[in-house]
Every structure is written in C-alpha cells, then in structure tokens.
Amino acid sequence: MSDLNHFLMVYRFGLAEINTKLDILAEELAHHGTGNPIEHIRPRLKTPASISAKARRIGCPLTYTDLRQRIRDIAGMRVVCGFVSDVYTVAEMLTRQPDVQLVLTKDYIQNPKPNGYRSLHLLVEIPVFMSDRMVSVPVEVQLRTVAMDFWASLEHKIYYKHSPQVPARLRDELTAAANDAARLDERMELLHREIHGGPPPVRPSAGHSSAR
C-alpha cells in the first residue's frame, strides 16, 4: 500500500500543477475583463481498481514501470467551457506554456465518436519537482462545452443503468441528442460572436493529432 500511494502521489502532484495553471489563466482573463472561458474544472485520479482493470484490458503487466509507461490517463483533468471557441482558446493557452509538453491531441469535436461523443483530449506532460528528482507526469486534459459535458454525463448514467447492453433504440436516441447538443453549441457560438465579436477558435497545432 505504501508503494501504491507513492506511485499515485506524483500523479496527484501533476494534477495540482495543471489545476494551478488553469486557475491562473482563468483569473487573469477575468481580471482583464475578457471573461473567464472556464466554467469549472474537475480533476480525476484513477482508482487502483480502475488502473488494474485497464491494465488487464490492454494486456499490461501489473508492475509500476509498465503501468507508468503504458497507461497514460491515470491523471485526468476535465475542463468545461462556455463555448467551442473557448475550448480551443484554453487548450492553446495551456499548451503554449514552455513547461507543458503536448504529446497527443484527439479532437473529438471536429471528429466525433460514432455515438456522438464530442470533446477535445490533450495528453500533456508536466514536470513535477520532488525533493530529489524531477518527474515528467502525463495528464490527460479533456476540454468540452457545457452542452457536451451535460450529454456525456447523462450518457454515462444511462449506460451504467443498462449495462452491459443498451437497447439499439436508446443508442440511436443518444446519438440524436448528441447532435442536438452540437447544434445548440453552434447557435450559441453564433450569438456570442454577433454580440461580442472575436476571432475564430485556434486549434492546438503541436503534437500528434488523431481520433479513435
């Protein structure tokens, strides 16, 4: 248990570093009067049971070295923004910081999953300075709008209730609801631009982009 707590400790520190950076960005933008693009932030650390289940699923040996190398989403941060443009703005501001290395981008906003899921996933590495060493900690940052987060939350609850098999009719309804949420985001974005103006959203360009 002591070894496990030590293993997870650096991931907690990585989450704290990313959380601080996002808090600073949000407060600075609010101070400048440009508005806070972040509605709320939710850090998440996988439980030992969740780590073990994923390791078995991907065939990863249960050693700390293998877990560290092959499971890259032990630490996760969900960032919920008001508008789609805010998602890309926050992503660009975070990843342009010199101590944040963008490893991988998965843009499920531009390329939604078949079930309608939309979100921008960034795998970043952040340095954590311990008493005797520096550790580069991977953190998966998921950025989405309020509408995307609302849909994803309810989709998870519906799937949990009907696990392991969700009726085809419900799957179709969930996909339709995701498309409705996307249209709502588009309408709100247009209204926001008509009232406030502003440049088009900037997509993060560093790292490797893919969708699965």
Side-chain angles (χ1 to χ4, degrees):
M1 184 60 69
S2 176
D3 288 343
L4 178 60
N5 287 334
H6 187 267
F7 173 74
L8 293 175
M9 180 174 62
V10 294
Y11 292 97
R12 286 197 297 270
F13 294 159
L15 283 174
E17 292 282 354
I18 294 292
N19 201 102
T20 298
K21 287 179 175 295
L22 292 169
D23 283 343
I24 289 172
L25 289 173
E27 187 170 341
E28 180 194 7
L29 291 172
H31 177 74
H32 289 323
T34 54
N36 181 2
I38 299 174
E39 295 290 332
H40 57 265
I41 302 170
R42 256 184 237 135
R44 185 268 305 150
L45 190 68
K46 277 187 182 295
T47 63
S50 179
I51 294 171
S52 177
K54 181 163 186 178
R56 290 194 299 271
R57 190 165 64 250
I58 66 175
C60 175
L62 290 176
T63 69
Y64 292 129
T65 298
D66 287 301
L67 293 173
R68 187 177 294 109
Q69 290 177 349
R70 296 187 58 185
I71 301 182
R72 308 288 282 168
D73 62 344
I74 292 175
M77 182 74 69
R78 183 176 302 165
V79 184
V80 178
C81 301
F83 302 96
V84 173
S85 57
D86 290 338
V87 166
Y88 291 105
T89 296
V90 172
E92 197 273 334
M93 288 191 299
L94 177 64
T95 56
R96 75 183 177 198
Q97 297 191 17
D99 59 341
V100 177
Q101 180 185 356
L102 178 58
V103 178
L104 183 67
T105 300
K106 295 180 180 177
D107 193 339
Y108 297 120
I109 298 176
Q110 295 299 308
N111 302 286
K113 290 188 176 183
N115 67 345
Y117 174 86
R118 288 169 170 83
S119 186
L120 178 65
H121 291 197
L122 308 176
L123 177 61
V124 302
E125 289 187 349
I126 183 80
V128 171
F129 294 91
M130 311 290 285
S131 60
D132 58 346
R133 69 194 190 283
M134 187 278 287
V135 182
S136 186
V137 180
V139 178
E140 183 186 62
V141 183
Q142 298 180 359
L143 301 106
R144 59 181 65 159
T145 65
V146 174
M148 294 173 195
D149 190 57
F150 174 76
W151 179 89
S153 176
L154 294 186
E155 189 258 3
H156 175 76
K157 290 179 181 179
I158 290 171
Y159 265 73
Y160 179 80
K161 181 177 180 180
H162 289 276
S163 179
Q165 183 60 45
V166 175
R169 180 183 60 82
L170 281 183
R171 291 199 302 270
D172 292 341
E173 287 290 337
L174 284 168
T175 302
N179 293 332
D180 289 340
R183 283 192 288 270
L184 176 61
D185 270 334
E186 291 174 3
R187 292 180 66 181
M188 297 307 292
E189 185 79 42
L190 289 172
L191 288 171
H192 178 66
R193 292 188 182 286
E194 185 173 341
I195 294 170
H196 299 285
V202 177
R203 272 65 169 172
S205 57
H208 174 64
S209 177
S210 68
R212 63 182 181 188

